Amino acid sequence: MEKIRRTDIAFLLNDAEGTFVGQIVNVRGWVRTKRGNKFVGFVALNDGSCLATIQIVFDFAKMDESILDRVHSGASISVNGELVESQGSGQRFEIKAVEMELLGEANPDEYPIQPKKHSLEFLRENAHLRFRTSTFSAVFRIRHHMIFAIHKFFNDKGFYNVHTPIVTGSDAEGAGEMFQVTTLDLHKIPYNEEGNIDFSKDFFGKATNLTVSGQLEAELAALALSKVYTFGPTFRAENSNTTRHLAEFWMIEPEVAFADIEDNMDLAEDMLKYVIRYALEYCMDELVFLSQRLQDEEKSKPQNERSPMELIEKLRFVADNEFVRTTYTEAIDILKNSKANQKKQFQFPIEEWGADLQSEHERYLVEKHFQKPVILTNYPKDIKAFYMKLNDDGNTVRAMDILFPGIGEIVGGSQREERYDALVGRMREMHIPEAEMSWYLDTRKFGTVPHAGYGLGFERLMLFVTGMGNIRDVIPFPRTPKNAEF
RNA sequence: UCCUCCUUAGCUCAGUCGGUUAGAGCACCUGACUGUUAAUCAGGGGGUCCUAGGUUCAAGUCCUAGAGGGGGAGCCA
C-alpha cells in the first residue's frame, strides 16, 4: 500500500472550506460499523480525534475481499482514498477508498464492544476497551480539556504549579485514612524492643503513606511564591462505596498568600465558571452527545426523577449566575424552618446548631431551596480541621464548602490560621502532634501572613460537566474498595 | 462498614403460580438487494440460567451461604 502521511479525522471533518476535497488522504482508526451489499460497502471509522466517524466507501469489485471479510467492529484499518463530498445525507464528507490495509483484526465472537448501547456497568468491567465507545471517548476528551483549562486559568492569573509529594511521612494531615507505603517484607516484619514495628528499617527510615492532600506543603510554597496550586493524585483508604468517591483521585489545591475567605470564594467561583465556559467553548460536540444520551436515558425514568435542566442549559446556568453565599448558621435556620424538617422528612432532623450537615440537608439547600450552587461559610470549629482560621466569636472557623446540585461538596476550603499561638492552641485541642508539624508551624513563626486555599475534587467537577452519574465513569481506571483492575 | 436491589446466549433483556424441548433483539455465519446511516429482508449456529449446598416427584423460578455488580447512607473532594 502506498505510504501517505496520516491525517486526523477531526482535521478532515472540521475543514469548513472543503479544501481537501479531491485529494488522496490517509486515515487510520478503528471500525465502528460496516454495512452495505455485494457491490458497495460503508465503514464508519473513528480515530478518537473527534466524536464523529468518517464514512469510508468502498467498491467491492476493486477491493481485496479477503481483507474486507475480516473488517468488523473494533478492527483497526488504514485507508488511502479520495476525500469527496458525500452522496448520502448523513455526513458532508466521505472517503472513497482506493487501498485498504487491515492493521489489526477484532474477532467479533470475542470483541466485547459492539455498535449498540452497552450498560455503563458492563463497560466499567471492560475499562481497557471502553475508550473505544462514543460515550467514554467523549468523557475523556472533555477530561483533557478540563485539565488544560485548569492549568490555563491559574497560569493566566499568575499562579505557579507546585508538585507536592505523593509519599509523605506526616501522619497529621487528618484528611482521611491513608495507604501505607513500605518496602518491609510483610512476612518478616521487624519489631523494636517495645514490640512495635521498627520503621527505622523501612525504606525511608520512618512510617510513610500516600498523600491525602497536598495542602500543607502547598501552604509552604504559597508563603513564598504568593500564588500556587497543586494538581495531583490523592489517595484515601476509606471504605467508601458511592458514586462520588474514589480511593485514587485527582485534586486541585490552590493556596494564596495575602488572601482571606472572601478572596478564596471569589477565586473558587471564578475558576469553576471559567472551566465550565471552557467546556462549552471547546467541547460542544461532546456535550451535545452526552446531553442527548442523558435525555434518552431519562425517557425511561418517571417524571419526578428526571433532571429539571438539560446538561448544556445547566452548565450555562451555573456559568452565568452568582453562587449563593451564606453561613452555616443561616443554613441551619433555613433547614430548621423548612417544611421538610417540620414534616419530619429528613432522616436526620435538624435540631440544634453545631451538627454536621448530612447530604440530604445539602441537597435540600442546593436543589430545593436555592436551586443553584451554594457556598457555605463559617462552620462550627468542632466539625472542621485544625488549620482553619478561628473567627472572633471563638466558635466558628472561616471554612467554605461549595455545594453543587447532584454532586454535593465539590470544593472544600478555608482561610488558614496564620497566628502561631492560635494554631498551636487548636493543634493541642485536637491532639495533633506539634513536634512532627514543626516545619508547618515554622511558616507561622517566620513571616506569617493571612492566606487561604481550597481543594477541588477533579472527578466531581467532571461529573458535573459531563452529566455522568458515577465517578467511576469519569476517570479512566477507577480505584475503589476491592477494585484495582487494569 | 450498614441498608437495599440485581446476576439467564458475546451484549441488552423476557421467562406467568415451581411443571415437560429456556426465548427475543443486536452481534456472528449463509443468501437477497448498486448509496448505506445502529442499513433492510430471509434462514442458520450459539446456554456452567453467578457458585456451592438444600427443599421438592420436579428448581432459571423457593430456602441458606458465598462471589461479583448496581443504588442509597456514613466518611469526604
Side-chain angles (χ1 to χ4, degrees):
Chain A
M1 193 166 114
E2 192 190 347
K3 171 90 177 168
I4 301 174
R5 186 185 289 264
R6 170 177 177 249
T7 309
D8 282 349
I9 290 170
F11 188 75
L12 297 174
L13 293 180
N14 293 337
D15 173 36
E17 275 81 48
T19 41
F20 297 94
V21 169
Q23 291 189 22
I24 298 291
V25 297
N26 172 269
V27 291
R28 297 172 212 176
W30 295 268
V31 173
R32 285 285 173 78
T33 61
K34 184 178 80 167
R35 52 182 173 263
N37 51 48
K38 218 184 262 178
F39 309 96
V40 60
F42 305 90
V43 159
L45 194 70
N46 184 277
D47 68 359
S49 61
C50 59
L51 186 74
T53 55
I54 196 161
Q55 175 155 278
I56 312 293
V57 188
F58 47 85
D59 191 339
F60 261 89
K62 294 179 187 161
M63 305 299 289
D64 183 343
E65 202 180 324
S66 70
I67 288 181
L68 287 176
D69 281 351
R70 291 186 290 154
V71 172
H72 293 113
S73 293
S76 49
I77 59 173
S78 174
V79 178
N80 289 343
E82 183 187 354
L83 189 79
V84 297
E85 303 265 359
S86 179
Q87 294 174 33
S89 57
Q91 56 283 316
R92 185 172 160 201
F93 302 120
E94 63 191 18
I95 291 174
K96 264 191 143 41
V98 176
E99 290 177 288
M100 182 186 298
E101 186 184 348
L102 180 64
L103 300 174
E105 254 182 286
N107 182 344
D109 291 334
E110 293 172 36
Y111 183 62
I113 310 297
Q114 289 173 22
K116 57 164 288 186
K117 271 235 149 66
H118 289 287
S119 69
L120 296 175
E121 293 80 15
F122 171 76
L123 293 170
R124 213 171 287 150
E125 285 167 22
N126 290 279
H128 56 308
L129 295 169
R130 66 180 178 172
F131 292 103
R132 304 268 186 99
T133 65
S134 297
T135 299
F136 284 93
S137 67
V139 166
F140 295 128
R141 274 191 300 274
I142 294 175
R143 187 175 165 112
H144 159 78
H145 285 292
M146 291 297 91
I147 293 166
F148 187 79
I150 284 161
H151 283 298
K152 183 164 166 51
F153 172 82
F154 285 117
N155 182 65
D156 290 354
K157 281 191 173 301
F159 280 66
Y160 298 110
N161 181 243
V162 176
H163 285 163
T164 51
I166 290 167
V167 175
T168 71
S170 130
D171 61 358
E173 301 184 27
E177 291 294 313
M178 292 190 275
F179 288 100
Q180 298 174 15
V181 174
T182 183
T183 55
L184 292 177
D185 184 345
L186 296 180
H187 300 290
K188 282 183 288 183
I189 297 171
Y191 291 92
N192 59 22
E193 284 157 11
E194 289 95 55
N196 297 318
I197 295 171
D198 185 2
F199 284 108
S200 69
K201 300 246 168 36
D202 204 349
F203 186 87
F204 293 107
K206 62 189 292 196
T208 49
N209 307 288
L210 293 179
T211 182
V212 291
S213 165
Q215 180 200 315
L216 301 187
E217 290 89 348
E219 283 187 52
L220 312 182
L223 293 178
L225 298 168
S226 288
K227 290 182 284 186
V228 303
Y229 70 105
T230 72
F231 191 158
T234 307
F235 306 89
R236 304 262 169 102
E238 307 283 355
N239 192 8
S240 299
N241 292 287
T242 79
T243 53
R244 308 180 297 284
H245 288 87
L246 291 164
E248 176 182 293
F249 63 100
W250 292 71
M251 189 153 64
I252 296 106
E253 296 179 290
E255 200 64 41
V256 185
F258 316 108
D260 62 16
I261 189 73
E262 296 294 327
D263 302 321
N264 207 25
M265 287 190 274
D266 290 345
L267 180 69
E269 184 168 343
D270 282 354
M271 182 203 64
L272 286 165
K273 287 177 170 173
Y274 178 89
V275 299
I276 289 167
R277 285 195 196 105
Y278 193 95
L280 288 165
E281 187 171 349
Y282 292 97
C283 309
M284 201 36 118
D285 287 351
E286 280 77 13
L287 292 175
V288 166
F289 175 83
L290 291 172
S291 173
Q292 195 55 53
R293 195 188 155 280
L294 275 174
Q295 287 173 63
D296 290 347
E297 205 173 59
E298 293 210 332
K299 277 177 194 158
S300 59
K301 285 189 187 167
Q303 201 78 42
N304 60 346
E305 283 177 30
R306 295 184 194 175
S307 339
M309 255 189 246
E310 170 276 331
L311 177 63
I312 293 164
E313 198 186 342
K314 183 185 79 175
L315 295 178
R316 289 214 172 98
F317 179 83
V318 169
D320 294 342
N321 285 282
E322 297 291 300
F323 294 4
V324 174
R325 297 184 184 191
T326 188
T327 64
Y328 167 88
T329 305
E330 287 167 42
I332 288 287
D333 281 344
I334 290 165
L335 289 166
K336 208 190 272 180
N337 297 325
S338 68
K339 277 189 186 142
N341 197 49
Q342 283 159 3
K343 287 184 182 170
K344 301 201 189 315
Q345 284 167 348
F346 288 137
Q347 196 188 336
F348 301 92
I350 295 286
E351 276 156 15
E352 56 192 71
W353 192 92
D356 210 348
L357 298 179
Q358 306 290 320
S359 64
E360 59 178 346
H361 305 134
E362 294 180 350
R363 274 208 310 275
Y364 178 86
L365 288 170
V366 173
E367 289 160 26
K368 294 258 162 57
H369 187 80
F370 291 115
Q371 299 189 331
K372 54 168 75 169
V374 175
I375 312 183
L376 283 182
T377 53
N378 296 324
Y379 281 79
K381 66 174 181 180
D382 293 335
I383 59 172
K384 288 292 179 184
F386 75 92
Y387 50 72
M388 296 187 179
K389 173 147 179 143
L390 194 62
N391 279 313
D392 294 340
D393 62 16
N395 290 321
T396 58
V397 289
R398 281 181 209 171
M400 64 157 203
D401 282 1
I402 302 186
L403 310 177
F404 260 36
I407 315 267
E409 186 179 343
I410 196 167
V411 163
S414 69
Q415 185 172 337
R416 316 307 188 189
E417 182 56 80
E418 85 280 14
R419 298 164 298 183
Y420 183 88
D421 293 339
L423 183 58
V424 169
R426 287 294 288 146
M427 286 172 73
R428 286 182 187 157
E429 276 174 40
M430 298 175 80
H431 308 293
I432 312 280
E434 277 168 67
E436 276 183 41
M437 297 293 285
S438 62
W439 50 272
Y440 183 68
L441 287 167
D442 273 359
T443 54
R444 275 57 168 181
K445 214 158 150 186
F446 307 117
T448 191
V449 298
H451 61 289
Y454 61 85
L456 167 82
F458 181 62
E459 283 77 17
R460 290 196 180 167
L461 173 67
M462 282 295 297
L463 281 179
F464 186 76
V465 172
T466 60
M468 299 295 282
N470 191 318
I471 202 160
R472 294 161 200 183
D473 295 332
V474 295
I475 187 168
F477 301 103
R479 268 79 184 94
T480 52
K482 300 276 182 291
N483 181 17
E485 282 301 301
F486 311 106

